[in-house]
Amino acid sequence: MDRIVLHDYFRSSASYRVRIALNLKGLAYERREVNLADGAQKGAAFRSLNPQGFVPCLEIDGLKLTQSLSIAVYLDQTRPDPPLMPRDQADGAHVRALALTVACDIHPLNNLRVLKYLQGPLGIAEDAKDGWYRHWVSEGLAALEAMAAPRAGAFLFGDSPTLADVCLVPQLYNARRFSVPISAYPTLRRADETASAHPAFAAAHPDRVAQEDLVK
């Protein structure tokens, strides 16, 4: 089988999701960092892999896959054990809704490129930008807490990690980085604590990845 190559950035939430998914599937892969801080994602070399200029991009099975949730679904379809999605259709719809709440409704509004645009072309002050971040993250997490609580277990859904946890953990990592209070979300905090203790999640953590990069 051809080697698996992940083009990512250690602190990118979307990349963090894919690292977790690969680890949960027990797949060995080579990381190639695309330094977002230096603008490497805008260069012709990377755009030949992903015309959007976003990370992650996963080279696997002769394919170049983009968009973190699409990559996770592909991994689940081609390497079904252990599953990232419940087999029951209703349960699957619930888990997708949790994952998409993070990936489509929370994360895009606090993405680095959005925050840079607020401060750059729009001239928004630092405190106003931080207020924007906290507002949208807090609103999204409150909704996620209400959605997840009735059916959560040790993880966001039940007692095994799913795609919902793959999305939750990077989002809470970023929330803490930007000092967003999360004490009001006991379900999310419990799932995050459980997941973060799992080896697949721990190995994907940005601090762990950054440390490994320094050793190389």
Side-chain angles (χ1 to χ4, degrees):
M1 183 178 293
D2 293 339
R3 65 181 175 177
I4 300 172
V5 178
L6 174 63
H7 303 265
D8 78 342
Y9 183 61
F10 78 107
R11 202 172 268 165
S12 155
S13 293
S15 297
Y16 192 174
R17 295 172 199 151
V18 174
R19 293 196 302 268
I20 294 169
L22 288 165
N23 293 345
L24 284 169
K25 295 296 184 180
L27 297 172
Y29 58 94
E30 174 189 343
R31 280 190 66 246
R32 294 184 186 172
E33 180 166 286
V34 181
N35 193 323
L36 303 187
D38 291 344
Q41 73 279 16
K42 299 176 182 178
F46 184 69
R47 284 188 182 271
S48 69
L49 294 172
N50 182 1
Q52 280 189 295
F54 296 165
V55 291
C57 175
L58 185 69
E59 296 188 71
I60 186 171
D61 300 338
L63 305 169
K64 295 180 178 67
L65 304 180
T66 62
Q67 292 291 341
S68 62
L69 265 61
S70 180
I71 292 170
V73 169
Y74 177 83
L75 293 175
D76 211 35
Q77 291 174 338
T78 59
R79 284 94 171 160
D81 294 315
L84 297 178
M85 293 291 296
R87 298 311 182 206
D88 179 83
Q89 292 182 353
D91 291 345
H94 175 65
V95 167
R96 279 193 298 275
L98 298 176
L100 291 169
T101 296
V102 174
C104 295
D105 296 334
I106 302 175
H107 177 240
L109 288 168
N110 58 76
N111 189 276
L112 179 62
R113 66 195 183 103
V114 172
L115 300 180
K116 283 186 173 182
Y117 189 78
L118 289 174
Q119 280 197 288
L122 297 186
I124 301 297
E126 180 80 15
D127 59 345
K129 180 211 67 172
D130 291 345
W132 163 285
Y133 185 100
R134 286 190 292 269
H135 170 79
W136 292 116
V137 172
S138 297
E139 184 174 280
L141 292 181
L144 188 65
E145 172 75 21
M147 293 166 64
R151 305 182 68 183
F155 289 89
L156 208 55
F157 172 76
D159 294 320
S160 299
T162 68
L163 186 62
D165 304 287
V166 168
C167 291
L168 172 69
V169 169
Q171 186 61 60
L172 288 191
Y173 165 79
N174 276 338
R176 292 186 180 99
R177 281 185 61 224
F178 285 88
S179 302
V180 177
I182 61 172
S183 60
Y185 317 121
T187 305
L188 307 187
R189 288 189 291 108
R190 182 179 70 244
D192 176 68
E193 182 178 353
T194 304
S196 296
H198 190 294
F201 287 79
H205 193 283
D207 292 348
R208 175 88 166 264
V209 171
Q211 185 62 38
E212 290 173 351
D213 286 346
L214 287 174
V215 172
K216 291 178 182 178

